[in-house]
Amino acid sequence: MKSYGNGGIWDFEAKILVDGDGGVILGLDGGTTSTVCVCMPAAMPVVAGCLPEPLPILSRAIAGCTNHNSIGENAARETLEKVMAQALSDAHANRSVVRAVCLAVSGVNHPSDQERIQDWLRAIFPSHVKLLVENDAVAAMASGTMGKLHGCVLIAGTGTIAYGYNEDGRKARAAGAGPILGDWGSGYGIAAQALTAIVRAHDGRGPQTKLTYNILKSLDLASPDELIGWTYADPSWARIAALVPVVVSSAENGDEVANKILHHSALELADSVKAVVQRLSLCGEDGKGSFPLVMVGGVLEGNKGWDIGKEVVKHISKVYPGVQPIQPKVEPAVGAALLAWNCFMEELTN
C-alpha cells in the first residue's frame, strides 16, 4: 500500500486531471483475511447482451482484513478507504468520476450494518454516486453469475457462509456466524478440529493421529505442549486456517482422524447450502429444479486425493439433483463491480 503525504488518503487527487471518459466503477470484496478493490470503466460495450471478455480492469488494489467484527470498526473503515483510494490512484481517476461503488464486506450481517457503512460512504463520495453495501457472499455469487443475483453461493475460506437469492429477490443465508458459533466447514473450523485432535491424542482422550507430527513439523514445534502457547499467542482466524493444507495432506496419506474431520466439514457445508435452497424453494416444489451453486474459497479447491468441493456437491445432489456447481471466471471483487455497474445501468435506463 502506497503511503499518502501527511496522512491524507486522498491527497493524490490534486494531481489527477479529470476527463470525460464516462467515469469508473469501484467493486470491493472485503474478507477476514484480505480485501481487494477493482476499478472498471463505467462505459463498457454490451454486444448481444454480453459484456466484453476479458473484462476491462483499470486497476486492482489489495489490503488486509476489513471485517469490523475482527479488527474493530475504525480500523476496518481506514483500510476500506485506503484500498479504494489506491485503486482510484492506480487508475489515474478520482472520486468525481466514480459512478457507482459496491462494498461487499464480511461482517455485514444486518440492515443496520449496511446503513452505517452507507452513511460513512456518503461522506466520502459525491452525492451522484450510487452506493451498494452487501455481505461479501453477494460479491462471490455475482462473480459466478456475472452480476446476476439468483441461485446460491457457498464460500469456504477462512470463514464460511451460504447465501442465496430466488427469482423474486428474496434472500436467505446459513452459517457465517463466525468460529465461536460453529462455522465448522470453514478453514478455521477444519484447522481448529485438527488442533483439538492433537491435544486429545496427547492427553490420551482421543486416537493417535499423523496430524500431531505433521502440524508440529509445519509450525517448527517440538511437542503438543508447545501448541498451546502457539495457539493463544495470536488466535487470529486466518492464522489458524492456514493449517488446512496440512490437514488435507494428512487425510490424503490415510490418516483416519484427518479424514473424519474433512468428511464432517463437507457435510456441514452441504447442510448450509441445503438450508438456503429449502428456504428459498430454489428447486421448485418437487425439489427437482435446477439452480446455480457458485463455489468460492480455498477450502473448496480441488486437491489430488481429497476434493472437499466435490464431496460437498455429492452430498447436495443426493437431495437436490438439479444443483449446477459453478467455478467463477472472475474474482469476487469483479463480481462486486458488476453489481455496481448493473445498478448504474438500470438507473440510466429508467
Side-chain angles (χ1 to χ4, degrees):
M1 179 67 67
K2 138 185 180 182
S3 60
Y4 297 88
N6 301 319
I9 291 175
W10 301 99
D11 284 354
F12 73 91
E13 289 185 317
K15 302 175 183 178
I16 300 291
L17 295 177
V18 179
D19 57 32
D21 64 353
V24 298
I25 302 291
L26 289 178
L28 187 145
D29 169 49
T32 304
T33 304
S34 63
T35 298
V36 177
C37 183
V38 299
C39 182
M40 297 172 59
M44 290 192 289
V46 179
V47 179
C50 297
L51 287 166
E53 194 173 331
L55 290 167
I57 307 297
L58 301 176
S59 65
R60 182 178 185 273
I62 305 175
C65 173
T66 48
N67 184 326
H68 68 271
N69 293 322
S70 299
I71 62 173
E73 191 157 325
N74 290 336
R77 286 186 177 185
E78 181 180 1
T79 303
L80 288 169
E81 191 166 0
K82 283 184 176 179
V83 77
M84 289 188 291
Q86 184 69 63
L88 284 174
S89 175
D90 291 348
H92 305 290
N94 63 29
R95 286 172 289 177
S96 69
V97 299
V98 175
R99 300 294 179 255
V101 177
C102 178
L103 259 61
V105 189
S106 66
V108 174
N109 299 317
H110 191 271
S112 63
D113 296 326
Q114 293 175 300
E115 292 169 9
R116 192 169 63 252
I117 296 175
Q118 279 186 327
D119 289 343
W120 167 68
L121 284 175
R122 184 54 65 205
I124 295 175
F125 290 96
S127 59
H128 70 267
V129 179
K130 177 72 174 176
L131 301 176
L132 296 172
V133 177
E134 301 285 355
N135 185 276
D136 62 332
V138 177
M141 176 185 288
S143 72
T145 60
M146 298 304 284
K148 298 177 182 178
L149 293 183
H150 173 251
C152 186
V153 61
L154 174 64
I155 300 176
T158 299
T160 183
I161 188 172
Y163 208 98
Y165 280 83
N166 65 12
E167 292 181 348
D168 297 327
R170 192 159 55 90
K171 56 188 176 182
R173 59 174 284 174
I180 293 175
L181 298 177
D183 282 354
W184 293 121
S186 69
Y188 179 96
I190 290 170
Q193 288 180 80
L195 295 176
T196 301
I198 293 171
V199 173
R200 287 177 60 84
H202 182 59
D203 290 346
R205 294 181 292 124
Q208 294 301 307
T209 169
K210 295 176 183 176
L211 289 168
T212 300
Y213 174 80
N214 293 339
I215 286 182
L216 292 180
K217 182 181 179 182
S218 73
L219 299 177
D220 197 24
L221 299 178
S223 74
D225 290 326
E226 294 183 13
L227 195 60
I228 299 171
W230 178 88
T231 301
Y232 292 109
D234 177 12
S236 68
W237 303 353
R239 179 171 173 262
I240 303 297
L243 295 172
V244 168
V246 184
V247 183
V248 173
S249 64
S250 298
E252 289 174 340
N253 289 322
D255 185 74
E256 186 176 339
V257 173
N259 268 292
K260 187 175 180 180
I261 290 171
L262 295 184
H263 278 294
H264 174 71
S265 298
L267 282 170
E268 288 279 351
L269 293 171
D271 284 346
S272 295
V273 173
K274 288 187 285 186
V276 169
V277 173
Q278 182 178 24
R279 286 162 61 188
L280 295 177
S281 300
L282 288 177
C283 285
E285 293 183 2
D286 62 0
K288 301 293 178 65
S290 64
F291 70 97
L293 173 63
V294 181
M295 304 181 71
V296 178
V299 170
L300 300 174
E301 293 176 359
N303 297 284
K304 58 183 179 181
W306 229 115
D307 191 327
I308 298 176
K310 185 177 180 179
E311 192 73 12
V312 170
V313 172
K314 184 177 77 173
H315 288 304
I316 295 170
S317 62
K318 289 178 181 178
V319 180
Y320 299 114
V323 60
Q324 297 178 336
I326 296 174
Q327 299 293 333
K329 295 180 180 179
V330 298
E331 64 180 322
V334 175
L338 291 173
L339 283 174
W341 182 80
N342 281 336
C343 286
F344 170 65
M345 294 304 294
E346 285 175 12
E347 203 166 74
L348 278 184
T349 55
N350 290 336

